[in-house]
Amino acid sequence: EGYRSFARGAIAAVITINSGALVAVLSQFSSIEAFIERGELSLAFHLWTYGVVTGTSAWGFAAMAAQAYAHGADRRETIMAYLGIAAFIASLAFFLAGSLQIACGLTT
């Protein structure tokens, strides 16, 4: 149960940071458009969207791993757990890449 609790929290966190970044950019678009090229902003937006999708996928993989565990399907449980971990890491990477895209694209 402890493992699942940590996984739920971590997955919720990566979905929240990516979706929070999307909302922040959308709500401040007119203000930041003057400081960053539209293409840079668009790429960051895409990266954060991928982060939300991979974070949500991690949730799905975790659910499938739990289902496999309940049915004693050890191999499937292991595969789903690793896919969930990979999706979680990818979601973090997408958030970082989107944030760096904004930071590196800022003009003075």
Side-chain angles (χ1 to χ4, degrees):
E1 181 58 35
Y3 174 75
R4 283 188 279 176
S5 177
F6 281 121
R8 275 192 303 267
I11 292 167
V14 294
I15 292 170
T16 301
I17 61 172
N18 279 291
S19 58
L22 287 168
V23 170
V25 165
L26 286 174
S27 68
Q28 298 299 314
F29 186 79
S30 61
S31 300
I32 61 176
E33 189 178 28
F35 300 105
I36 188 167
E37 293 182 28
R38 190 174 284 250
E40 303 282 340
L41 201 53
S42 176
L43 180 55
F45 189 83
H46 281 90
L47 290 165
W48 291 326
T49 301
Y50 300 147
V52 171
V53 171
T54 56
T56 305
S57 297
W59 224 325
F61 290 130
M64 288 185 273
Q67 188 266 347
Y69 173 78
H71 289 95
D74 294 337
R75 180 165 163 69
R76 187 165 35 119
E77 176 193 0
T78 301
I79 291 168
M80 292 300 120
Y82 280 122
L83 287 172
I85 292 167
F88 170 79
I89 292 169
S91 186
L92 277 178
F94 283 128
F95 174 73
L96 178 62
S99 298
L100 290 173
Q101 187 67 33
I102 293 291
C104 292
L106 288 173
T107 59
T108 55

